[in-house]
Amino acid sequence: MTEPVITVENLTMAYGDFLIQRDLSFTINRGDIFIIMGGSGCGKSTLLMHLIGLQQPAKGEVFYGGQNFWQTDPQERQKIMRRIGVLFQSGALLSSMTLAENIALPVAEFTDLTPPQIRKIVSYKLALVGLAGFEDYYPSEISGGMQKRAGLARAMALDPEILYFDEPSAGLDPISAKLLDDLIQGLRDSLGATIVMVTHELPSIFAIGTNSVFLDPETKTAIAAGPPKQLLAESKDPKVIRFLTRDAREPGETPMPDPVLDAGASL
Amino acid sequence: MNAVHTPSEWRVERRSDTDVELILTGDWDAENSARMDPQPVLEEIRQCRGTRRVRLTAKELGRWDSVLMVFLITVIDGCREEQLEVDTAGLPEGIRALLDLSYAVPERAGARRGKVRTPWLAEIGNSALRLWDGGKAFTLFLGEVAFAFAASAAGRARFRRIDLWLNIQECGPSAVPIVTLISLLVGLILAFVGAVQLALFGAQIYIADLVALGMTREMGALMTAIIMAGRTGASFAAQIGTMNVNQEISALRVMGFAPLEFLVLPRMLALILVMPVLCLYADLMGIIGGGLVTISFFDVSLTQYINRTREAAHLADVFVGLAKCTVFGILIAVAGCLRGMQCGRSASAVGDAATSAVVTSIVFIVVSDSIITLICDRLGI
């Protein structure tokens, strides 16, 4: 059962004259945990901005289902954006509001639920991410990992079909990162959501990724695509292999087993 | 800590026809850096004719730190420029590892920025272009705000009512103490300044006219606006700027809220509602301040002062002041929110945004005040 949810065709991204990536084409299917990976500064987060409607492509198309995201009129685009949830790198909770108010914000705006119903939904979402009881805390009063989970609760507030994550485990300790991975996988399985993740955490990539695209900063385009494990086993491209095996050596030198990766892959 | 220093020494020795050895001894650290100019070393290596290989050794090296590393890197780069092979096998392992690290990732082509000197004429041109861009951005923002207002009039704007009330609380009641103090004192000063001249003619009673007209038409609105520019304009810019830094504005956009409606509208509405009230209060305080001076020092009774004030100040004067103050309120909110939205992504950018918001609002206030005064004069209001 592969039903394309998002199709990217010949996408070129640039800031003015400065080219970030060109000619990206890939398809994200329903139920995928799709990983956007690549070295630092290759344009992973910029690609995310293009997918969630914060930045317009220099060239090329993004399709949601059959709809052309950037060519359709603003109301239609708003409707598409209603179907997606985004967890930003820092959580991006509104700091002047409590967690409950943050999560209630989209619910109150886009549904006709009564305040008590909204309050119940808020508590349920917080409980899902393991933050039951923290309704009335301000974002500045909780830790970075909790902020991220609260951000996830807000991203899920309207039961989106597609969830975007910008480096979800950056800045988390390995155990919290693992718990977050499990949570993401659990959400995909139980809600039937499609998940798109920007990350360069190898343990996460191998543990939960079902499909991926690899962006290369030097040639400024995607040099590999496919399930991460399959890439590791079959890819011929030395850059991809070095990235996936955490190998800093130039191609040609004999690779050595990496204790950190081995520990990560067995998680 | 070992206080004894062995001075850093180097010597270049010839080992064979093609080999030269550079021997380092002593302490090579920051406290001992006087003798560490690499140029003489390179000079000496160049003078050994027929050299193809330079061996670096440091058997009797004492303490060393980055000073030594910089020295070595300069020597190695110099030798490589001369097409000489460099052999680092004689160096301690730690130093070799650090050297390998510093040469591991080659400098990225085009990454180095270098100082670009712009000719002054180009600099003037650039400032003119920036001014033009700033003007365009301001006009665009004003247009978007107008659209947001239209949306809110049609009941379609998305912002939280509670935000409006919070902003009103923040702009209004919280500003009362400082408005009280400043306008009381401004009234007092007006009275004193006028009294010195009027007393020459025995016309102290007209101090009341001066204070009443001065406060209601001009000073009440102007002082309130300047206080609010410093207090509220700066805080708007800092709040919105920080939200920008934290990606909160991106998050709002993704959730389907227009930042202009969600953040700018409640702030602007709050100022539009609050400014006239504060201005009226400032007028009253100024007249009281003037009265205190007139009654205590210039031989005018309270009744006389009140009657004279009543005759001098007309409703039209008060309305002119209130209208001005409302305009100032809009300008303060526009300047504060615009600078906040334009804010860059760093802590210093937030500070710049706040500063720029205050400067912009004060310029707007004074310019628009002149224009309104001119219009009133022509219309005979």
Side-chain angles (χ1 to χ4, degrees), chain A residues 49 52 54 78 81-82 84 86 88-90 92-95 97 101-102 105-106 109-110 154 166, chain B residues 104 108 157-160 162-163 242-243 245-257 262:
Chain A
M49 295 297 150
I52 62 180
L54 290 180
Q78 279 297 328
M81 284 171 74
R82 200 76 36 81
I84 69 180
V86 182
F88 286 88
Q89 203 162 351
S90 56
L93 296 164
L94 299 178
S95 44
M97 299 183 198
E101 286 172 324
N102 259 293
L105 188 64
E109 198 54 55
F110 298 113
R154 186 182 64 184
D166 191 1
Chain B
R108 195 193 282 194
R158 295 207 173 92
F159 65 89
R160 301 197 313 162
I162 181 85
D163 278 349
T242 313
M243 294 183 73
V245 173
N246 290 343
Q247 292 186 303
E248 289 175 38
I249 293 184
S250 299
L252 278 176
R253 279 220 174 90
V254 169
M255 284 192 285
F257 293 93
F262 194 84

Side-chain angles (χ1 to χ4, degrees), chain A:
Chain A
M1 182 194 84
T2 50
E3 175 197 348
V5 182
I6 305 165
T7 313
V8 174
E9 277 178 14
N10 294 320
L11 181 70
T12 296
M13 313 184 287
Y15 288 107
D17 288 337
F18 186 73
L19 179 73
I20 312 281
Q21 288 280 327
R22 63 189 160 76
D23 303 329
L24 301 179
S25 297
F26 53 87
T27 304
I28 302 172
N29 292 318
R30 186 169 300 283
D32 262 351
I33 297 183
F34 190 89
I35 313 264
I36 299 171
M37 58 183 162
S40 302
C42 66
K44 300 187 294 286
S45 294
T46 311
L47 175 55
L48 190 76
M49 295 297 150
H50 283 76
L51 294 179
I52 62 180
L54 290 180
Q55 213 177 341
Q56 208 160 350
K59 227 171 67 196
E61 254 66 64
V62 176
F63 291 95
Y64 274 82
Q67 274 179 305
N68 190 328
F69 187 58
W70 285 105
Q71 301 299 321
T72 181
D73 58 302
Q75 273 94 29
E76 284 299 313
R77 188 151 64 231
Q78 279 297 328
K79 263 190 213 159
I80 298 175
M81 284 171 74
R82 200 76 36 81
R83 285 160 41 201
I84 69 180
V86 182
L87 170 59
F88 286 88
Q89 203 162 351
S90 56
L93 296 164
L94 299 178
S95 44
S96 57
M97 299 183 198
T98 62
L99 297 193
E101 286 172 324
N102 259 293
I103 298 164
L105 188 64
V107 185
E109 198 54 55
F110 298 113
T111 65
D112 296 324
L113 299 173
T114 60
Q117 283 173 313
I118 292 177
R119 182 92 192 162
K120 273 192 193 128
I121 288 192
V122 166
S123 300
Y124 158 66
K125 299 281 173 188
L126 277 174
L128 272 186
V129 296
L131 284 175
F134 283 92
E135 279 88 344
D136 297 320
Y137 282 61
Y138 282 91
S140 57
E141 297 173 321
I142 58 176
S143 74
M146 289 158 88
Q147 283 178 18
K148 234 168 224 188
R149 278 184 280 155
L152 176 54
R154 186 182 64 184
M156 300 188 309
L158 289 174
D159 298 318
E161 295 165 37
I162 306 160
L163 268 169
Y164 286 94
F165 294 83
D166 191 1
E167 311 227 353
S169 40
L172 296 186
D173 65 84
I175 297 173
S176 309
K178 166 89 168 75
L179 288 176
L180 194 65
D181 283 351
D182 292 348
L183 182 61
I184 292 170
Q185 206 165 21
L187 287 174
R188 192 268 314 252
D189 295 343
S190 49
L191 302 178
T194 306
I195 286 169
V196 183
M197 237 165 100
V198 166
T199 184
H200 44 218
E201 300 282 326
L202 289 177
S204 303
I205 292 176
F206 288 119
I208 61 174
T210 62
N211 204 349
S212 71
V213 60
F214 187 96
L215 305 185
D216 179 42
E218 278 147 32
T219 54
K220 295 195 182 301
T221 189
I223 54 172
K229 282 173 193 157
Q230 192 183 327
L231 278 187
L232 179 63
E234 295 173 9
S235 177
K236 300 271 189 304
D237 195 313
K239 281 184 198 159
V240 179
I241 296 298
R242 278 169 62 202
F243 182 93
L244 291 177
T245 53
R246 266 194 103 178
D247 186 357
R249 270 167 299 273
E250 290 297 320
E253 294 178 52
T254 42
M256 285 191 302
D258 188 319
V260 180
L261 174 67
D262 292 346
S266 65
L267 273 178

Side-chain angles (χ1 to χ4, degrees), chain B residues 72-83:
Chain B
L72 285 175
I73 288 171
T74 319
V75 170
I76 293 172
D77 287 347
C79 290
R80 284 186 182 157
E81 258 170 45
E82 304 273 316
Q83 314 291 335

